Amino acid sequence: MSDPLIRLDNLTVAYERHPAVHHVSGTIYSGSLTAIAGPNGAGKSTLLKAIMGELRPAEGRISHQLKRTDFGYLPQAAEINRRFPICVFDAVLFGAWPNSGAFGRVSSEDTDKARAALSAVGLQGFEKRHIGSLSAGQFQRVLFARLLLQDAKVILLDEPFNAIDARTTRDLLEIVARWHGDGRTVVAVLHDFDQVRAHFPETLLIARTLIGWGPTGDVMSPANLLKARAMAERWDEDAQACEPAA
Ligand code: ADP
Ligand code: MG
C-alpha cells in the first residue's frame, strides 16, 4: 500500500449550517485512483470542494502537506461559463497560471506544452476556435488539455463524462489512466457504475454519510447500493414534509 496523502477525519461540511456531508473519515493514498459515487444530492461535489480547500470543514479536519497549486480541478459542467470570450488555445494556456502567476509572462515552453496538450486530447487545429462554439465533448477535451498543462499532483474531476459522447469519454478515460500510470492521485465523481467498476480500483460511496470506502468490488455491493438509494429516498420524503400543509 502506498503512503497516505490526504486524511479526512470526522469531516462535516455545511452550507449555512445545514450539513451536506457528515462525519466522513478515511484516507486518500498517494497514487490512488478513486471514484466518488452516490445519489444526486449525496454531497459528492461538496466533498471534492472540501478536499481541494474551496470549502472549509464545519467540523472535523482534512490534513495533508499539499499546496493549493498541487490540486487540478475540473468542476461540474453546470458551474462553468462557456460564454467567456476566449479561444481554445488561451483556455488551455491558462492551465499554466499556477507556474507563471496570473500576470507573469507566458514562456515559449508553455505555448509548446499547450500545443502538445491539445494534440494529446485530439484537438489540433482547434486553437483559434471560440470555446462557445465547441460541442460538449470538445469542450471537455479542452478542460482536460488544461489539466495536462497544469501538471498537478492531485487531480479532482467532478462528473467529467456527464453528457459527453462515448468516443470522447473513451479518450478521456485513457488520459485518466495515463495520470494514474504517472503516479498522480486522481479522484473523480462519477454516476455511471459500470465506468466505476471498469476503471476505478477504489470507490468512496456516499449518501451524505459515508457508506463505504475501499476496493471498488467491496464497496459497490448490492447491499451498499441499496442502502445509498434508501437514504436518498428519505431526503426526498423530508423535502416533502417541509412543504406548507394544505
Ligand atoms: P452531489 O454532488 O452529490 O449531487 P452536492 O454536493 O452538490 O451533491 O450537494 C449536497 C447537498 O448540499 C444538496 O442538498 C445541495 O442542495 C446542497 N448544496 C450544494 N451546494 C450548495 C450551496 N452552494 N448552497 C447551499 N446548499 C448547497
Ligand atoms: Mg455534484
Side-chain angles (χ1 to χ4, degrees), residues 15-16 18-21 38-47 49 76 158-159 189 206 208:
Y15 296 101
E16 311 278 334
H18 290 287
V21 169
N40 277 334
K44 304 180 297 295
S45 297
T46 301
L47 188 60
K49 288 175 185 168
Q76 224 172 320
D158 200 345
E159 302 210 21
V189 174
I206 188 170
R208 302 205 175 159

Side-chain angles (χ1 to χ4, degrees), residues 74-91:
L74 181 98
Q76 224 172 320
E79 297 189 14
I80 301 174
N81 177 8
R82 275 229 273 154
R83 285 198 294 257
F84 197 72
I86 186 173
C87 73
V88 165
F89 193 72
D90 288 347

